[in-house]
Amino acid sequence: MRLHRLSITAFGPFGATQEVDFDALSSAGLFLLHGPTGAGKTSVLDAVCFALYGAVPGARQSPGASLRSDHAPVDLPTEVQLELTVGGRRLEVTRSPAQPRPKKRGDGFTMEKAQSRLRGYDPERGWHALSKSHQEIGEELTQLIGMSRDQFCQVVLLPQGDFARFLRSDAEARGKLLGRLFDTRRFAAVEERLAELRRGAEARVTAADERILALAQRIAQAAGPAGAEATPIAARPGEPGLAEAVLEWAAIARSTARERLDIAHRVVAWAEDRQRGARHALDAVRELARLQQRYEETRLRSAALEERRPEHDRCQEELERARKADRVAPALELREEAERTYRAASDGLGRARALLSPELRDVGADRLAELERKFQQELYALDAAREAEERSARIDGERVRLNREAQADDELIREADAWLADWDTTRAALKGRVDASQEAATRAEQLAGLLAPARRRLDAAGRRDGLATDVQQAEERLTGAREQELDARKAWLDLRERRLRGIAAELAAGLVAGEPCTVCGSADHPVPASPGDGHVDRATEERALAAQQSAEEARARAEQQLGLVRERHTAAETEARGDDASASSTVAELGELVDRLTGEHAEAHRLAAATNPAREALTAAEREHTERLEQRQEAHGRMSARTAAREALDGEQARLQEQIAAARGESPSVAAHAERLTRRVARLADAAEAVRTEQDAAQRRKEADDRLSDAAFRAGFDTPEAAAATLLDAAAQRDLQHRIDTWQAEAAAVADRRAERDAREAAEQPAAQPSAAQGEFETAEWLLREASSALAAADERCGELTRLSRQAADEVRRLGPVRQEYERIARLAGLAAGTSADNERKMRLEAYVLAARLEQVAAAATARLQLQRMSSGRYTLVHSDARTGGRRAGLGLHVVDAWTGSERDTATLSGGETFFASLALALGLADVVTEEAGGVRLDTLFIDEGFGSLDDQTLDEVLDVLDSLRERDRSVGIVSHVADLRRRIPVRLEVVKERQGSSVRHRLA
């Protein structure tokens, strides 16, 4: 990697743009970067680091710190631009940090985002853009340089103070620095992974032990008292021997439980025998008590039966008399029915006579019938008079109807005359409506012919505006496709040229010993060409050609798409113009035109829709005119006919009134006179019938009295009244019979029970005591339940212990492989972490790898100390893996003094010795890191400070060593403010501190 040019603008102490020409400074191989303290020497190196990695070295990249210069004008943005060659490519990287800038509108500032740009240089095309992405630029540069930012700051920007501290620091501090440089995080990750696996395996072992202990606790709960007697388990989860102790303890618990089960079986057998004996004794006592109670109940029932005997005799006698009276009951019922009939007939006769006149109330039935026939004949004579009266009433109704019809015809004539008076005006208005509707229909047809083209023009204008955007986008895509095609073609031509430059190596790859060369024909190939840096093979060129052809096809497709979109846009524009080709209307204008035409067409269509209703209204008016003329003429004819009809009705009614007056007598009307006669006839008929009914009822009552007296005598009663008093209804007789049957059934039952021998013998024995026998039985029952519960619990305990013991054995078998895996992983994790007894030096895996790197660095630094004579061959740096005190070994660094032959710690070196030792260590570290990064060539190095601690002779030797680096075509920049170096190094870059900001000046030989 070689730096060519650096441009710094508004960065750090530099208020304006400063240019650093590294090509001019590197021409002498060794140059000095000097200036007063605080001028900005280190800021130049920070700018290089910022351009490459987007950040300054870690110590100066503090949170909240700004890279922008306080001396810069507000309108001058902060920017760093670096031109360099790396990996055979000439690049220019430009970076700007996030910074405030003045607002484009208004006052104040706004935050501008960080920006990055990367350009590449090609001899044919010159500078061309590569990327503007922070991530892409960072990945590209990191891959080309082959070092991270920390490695770059330690290898290219050699900070001597850091290496001096490295020489004096302990193993932990050295490990942190070396870990950042050589990226040993993967080894630390291995340690952490092994530790994690160990923790996981340990957790699985502990979990399995906890499950076994949980089973042991469940076994203890299941064992009950037997578990409390056993010795508790002292082992804890994770400790060896826990599984065996649990299995042994479970075996003891199972043996004890089986012994307790045998005892429980024997106790249950004894309790069952006792319970059976108590049950038999209780049954015998209960039977004795039942018989004694039955005998006592029989004695009490017999005494109660004797007490109810008089009542039984009375009921039996009363039932016999009631059954005799039942033979008189039909005659009694017949007498009572005859009496009720006579009373009803007598009441009806009284009511009928009360409606007659006083002189007719005492007459007989024959006289009443004669009067009925007389008045009936008078009623028949009034039928003709009633018909005349009804006809007179109908004539009155006809006269009212004629008057009503006359009024209706008068109203019709008046209304017809009024309507016909306005007929000419009405007819003219209706004809005007018809004419206006016809004109609106014609106008609607004309507007419809204009509206359709206007709508098509509006749609075309919308498509035209949308296609205008599509044309613009297609043009942008075509421009991008053309640029991509040019870039792809340039890339292909560049790769083709590079391949042609290295075609000799490609041909040499196909040479075979002893076979002729395809170019020169020789069978000897003494020095075949080898591919150099950036060699391009055939496959790479073909891929680039394919990419160029794909880009060309994409450009052709973009051109074709643009042509199609333009054709559609032109067609839409032509259609939107319509017949007016001189001007192009906007969508808004065409929209207003369509809205106006739509409104006028809707109004004309609405008016035209009224044509048929207007015609129908005119036709209906003419039809009504004809009808009204006819109705008026018919009304005049009906008026003449009504006058003649009224005169005929008046003559007929006069004749009918004379007939009605003669027939109605003193009544207001013939109907009233007929109604009065009808009522009189009905009363006479009712009275005659009531007299006859009363006489018949009296005769039947006398006959019933005779039959009742005869039936009472035959039944044995003195009078009918005595028989009626003894008579009982069916319910009363059933009740007496039930009471008699009940007493007799009770008497039979008592007689049967008094004949029972076992009850009589039981009554002769002492009274039974069932409560005592029940108590004894309940005690035996309780003992049996307790023994059965104990047996069930013991049996369940044995089964549960067997099941849990089987589970514990299964858990112990599953634990075996888990514990073996844990022990294996624990041994590996202990070795990697340095805590295992097998790791004699107690060295962690990461420290072991770093110790190997440190040994390489010490060997490279020693070579520089001896070969470049910085120490005149006195000192040699060696790596030490010895332990100091209680610390772990691996990262010790000693110096061997050839003058004394002793080995001592690097912290014992003097200031000057520390400087050239740290310089040699830095150069050696640079070689090792460069080799680690893939052998990337570092053509530019910077050494920061430390030269002030050297005497003149040592300084000359160190400068000779640095000057010898030019043999490798390197340039070394020394950053120092030592005045003597300005005399010894003629090529210098001076940083001048000024009020308006620092600036740089080139001092070339």
Side-chain angles (χ1 to χ4, degrees), residues 4 66 78 123 139 156 163 221 312 585 772 774 839 888 962:
H4 299 291
S66 175
T78 300
E139 292 177 354
V156 180
F163 281 97
Q221 293 176 357
H312 165 69
S585 301
Q774 180 67 31
N839 192 333
R888 296 181 180 181
L962 296 178

Side-chain angles (χ1 to χ4, degrees), residues 697-975:
Q699 182 62 32
R700 287 195 295 274
R701 184 180 65 174
K702 182 177 180 304
E703 294 174 355
D705 289 337
D706 295 340
R707 293 193 188 94
L708 178 60
S709 299
D710 183 59
F713 178 76
R714 287 197 300 269
F717 294 98
D718 297 335
T719 62
E721 289 75 10
T726 309
L727 188 65
L728 295 176
D729 57 10
Q733 291 184 21
R734 286 196 300 271
D735 180 63
L736 290 174
Q737 185 63 49
H738 175 70
R739 292 162 66 183
I740 293 170
D741 294 343
T742 301
W743 189 90
Q744 291 176 352
E746 179 68 11
V750 170
D752 292 340
R753 293 185 65 170
R754 291 179 66 86
E756 294 177 354
R757 179 179 179 182
D758 52 354
R760 187 169 58 254
E761 293 176 353
E764 296 174 355
Q765 296 181 15
Q769 300 293 330
S771 58
Q774 180 67 31
E776 178 63 22
F777 173 74
E778 290 177 355
T779 301
E781 189 75 15
W782 177 80
L783 290 174
L784 179 59
R785 285 197 303 271
E786 290 295 320
S788 299
S789 299
L791 176 61
D795 185 64
E796 182 180 0
R797 183 177 299 112
C798 286
E800 183 69 10
L801 288 175
T802 301
R803 184 181 64 82
L804 293 175
S805 298
R806 190 179 301 110
Q807 291 182 6
D810 294 340
E811 288 291 341
V812 171
R813 282 194 298 272
R814 286 193 291 269
L815 175 61
V818 176
R819 184 173 292 279
Q820 292 176 1
E821 180 186 3
Y822 165 69
E823 292 173 354
R824 178 175 57 83
I825 294 175
R827 286 196 300 271
L828 289 175
L831 285 173
T835 59
S836 173
D838 298 333
N839 192 333
E840 297 179 356
R841 298 188 180 276
K842 305 300 181 183
M843 187 182 298
R844 293 172 47 245
L845 177 60
E846 183 183 13
Y848 178 79
V849 176
L850 291 177
R853 296 300 188 192
L854 182 58
E855 188 173 2
Q856 294 176 358
V857 172
T862 297
R864 290 190 177 277
L865 280 169
Q866 293 175 348
L867 298 177
Q868 304 303 331
R869 301 182 306 279
M870 281 193 292
S871 65
S872 300
R874 178 179 178 183
Y875 294 116
T876 301
L877 281 176
V878 294
H879 164 253
S880 173
D881 56 4
R883 299 179 61 183
T884 57
R887 299 179 180 177
R888 296 181 180 181
L891 297 179
L893 191 61
H894 290 178
V895 62
V896 179
D897 190 345
W899 291 3
T900 62
S902 61
E903 179 179 340
R904 53 193 173 94
D905 194 272
T906 54
T908 61
L909 295 175
S910 64
E913 292 171 342
T914 299
F915 170 75
F916 62 71
S918 61
L919 176 59
L921 183 64
L923 294 175
L925 180 62
D927 290 342
V928 174
V929 173
T930 301
E931 182 180 358
E932 175 78 11
V936 178
R937 181 177 177 84
L938 302 177
D939 297 319
T940 306
L941 296 176
F942 294 92
I943 301 176
D944 190 2
E945 283 302 341
F947 293 90
S949 61
L950 302 179
D951 55 24
D952 293 340
Q953 179 181 355
T954 305
L955 181 59
D956 289 337
E957 293 177 353
V958 171
L959 292 179
D960 289 342
V961 171
L962 296 178
D963 189 58
S964 65
L965 294 176
R966 288 183 298 176
E967 297 174 0
R968 304 182 183 181
D969 196 21
R970 283 183 176 177
S971 60
V972 179
I974 298 176
V975 183

Side-chain angles (χ1 to χ4, degrees), residues 452-765:
R455 286 175 175 170
R456 288 195 296 271
R457 290 181 63 194
L458 177 60
D459 295 339
R463 294 196 308 273
R464 176 199 62 195
D465 294 347
L467 289 170
T469 304
D470 295 343
V471 169
Q472 182 179 0
Q473 294 176 353
E475 290 175 348
E476 293 176 355
R477 288 194 295 270
L478 177 59
T479 302
R482 286 173 176 171
E483 292 178 356
Q484 292 179 0
E485 180 189 6
L486 292 176
D487 294 341
R489 183 173 183 81
K490 290 178 181 179
W492 169 62
L493 292 175
D494 179 40
L495 293 174
R496 181 177 180 82
E497 182 180 356
R498 290 168 57 187
R499 183 189 172 210
L500 291 175
R501 287 199 299 265
I503 196 65
E506 184 175 342
L507 294 174
L511 294 178
V512 179
E515 294 183 4
C517 175
T518 58
V519 178
C520 65
S522 174
D524 297 329
H525 316 297
V527 186
S530 58
D533 294 339
H535 174 67
V536 178
D537 56 6
R538 182 184 183 87
T540 304
E541 180 188 355
E542 290 177 352
R543 285 195 298 272
L545 177 59
Q548 187 268 336
Q549 292 174 349
S550 177
E552 185 177 359
E553 293 174 357
R555 187 262 306 159
R557 289 194 298 271
E559 290 179 348
Q560 182 180 5
Q561 185 178 6
L562 176 60
L564 293 175
V565 174
R566 282 177 174 172
E567 289 179 2
R568 290 198 293 269
H569 179 266
T570 303
E573 175 67 22
T574 302
E575 186 176 359
R577 292 177 183 273
D579 296 335
D580 186 8
S582 59
S584 177
S585 301
T586 64
V587 174
E589 294 172 349
L590 292 175
E592 293 177 357
L593 175 61
V594 170
D595 293 340
R596 180 174 59 79
L597 291 176
T598 302
E600 293 178 358
H601 177 266
E603 179 63 21
H605 188 272
R606 184 185 63 79
L607 295 176
T611 302
N612 291 332
R615 289 176 179 174
E616 293 175 356
L618 178 60
T619 302
E622 291 175 347
R623 184 169 54 252
E624 184 178 1
H625 175 261
T626 302
E627 292 175 354
R628 286 183 180 274
L629 289 175
E630 294 176 352
Q631 290 173 359
R632 184 177 63 177
Q633 184 177 359
E634 292 175 355
H636 284 296
R638 288 194 297 273
M639 291 177 65
S640 300
R642 279 194 296 273
T643 301
R646 187 180 292 110
E647 292 176 355
L649 291 174
D650 290 342
E652 183 181 5
Q653 191 172 32
R655 290 191 301 271
L656 293 174
Q657 288 295 334
E658 292 177 357
Q659 183 180 357
I660 293 169
R664 68 186 180 187
E666 297 177 357
S667 300
S669 64
V670 175
H673 182 62
E675 183 179 0
R676 184 169 62 81
L677 289 177
T678 300
R679 288 196 300 272
R680 182 176 295 178
V681 168
R683 290 172 183 171
L684 290 173
D686 293 341
E689 181 64 23
V691 170
R692 289 191 290 271
T693 301
E694 191 270 341
Q695 292 174 354
D696 293 340
Q699 182 62 32
R700 287 195 295 274
R701 184 180 65 174
K702 182 177 180 304
E703 294 174 355
D705 289 337
D706 295 340
R707 293 193 188 94
L708 178 60
S709 299
D710 183 59
F713 178 76
R714 287 197 300 269
F717 294 98
D718 297 335
T719 62
E721 289 75 10
T726 309
L727 188 65
L728 295 176
D729 57 10
Q733 291 184 21
R734 286 196 300 271
D735 180 63
L736 290 174
Q737 185 63 49
H738 175 70
R739 292 162 66 183
I740 293 170
D741 294 343
T742 301
W743 189 90
Q744 291 176 352
E746 179 68 11
V750 170
D752 292 340
R753 293 185 65 170
R754 291 179 66 86
E756 294 177 354
R757 179 179 179 182
D758 52 354
R760 187 169 58 254
E761 293 176 353
E764 296 174 355
Q765 296 181 15

Side-chain angles (χ1 to χ4, degrees), residues 293-367:
Q293 183 178 4
R294 183 178 179 83
Y295 183 82
E296 182 63 20
E297 290 176 355
T298 301
R299 187 183 64 78
L300 294 176
R301 288 172 64 183
S302 177
L305 189 64
E306 290 300 325
E307 291 177 358
R308 297 201 306 271
R309 181 179 292 277
E311 181 183 0
H312 165 69
D313 295 341
R314 181 185 59 78
C315 290
Q316 191 168 11
E317 182 180 358
E318 185 177 352
L319 180 60
E320 291 176 355
R321 290 177 60 81
R323 287 175 177 173
K324 290 180 180 180
D326 285 343
R327 294 196 292 270
V328 187
L332 284 172
E333 292 177 359
L334 181 61
R335 172 65 176 76
E336 290 175 357
E337 178 64 24
E339 181 66 25
R340 287 194 298 272
T341 302
Y342 175 75
R343 285 198 296 271
S346 178
D347 293 341
L349 178 61
R351 289 192 297 273
R353 290 184 181 278
L355 295 176
L356 297 177
S357 58
E359 64 274 11
L360 298 178
R361 292 177 181 174
D362 295 331
V363 298
D366 296 337
R367 177 60 181 165

Side-chain angles (χ1 to χ4, degrees), residues 209-238:
D209 285 347
E210 289 177 350
R211 289 195 297 271
I212 293 174
L213 274 181
L215 286 173
Q217 293 176 359
R218 293 173 60 187
I219 290 173
Q221 293 176 357
E229 297 174 0
T231 304
I233 301 173
R236 294 292 179 266

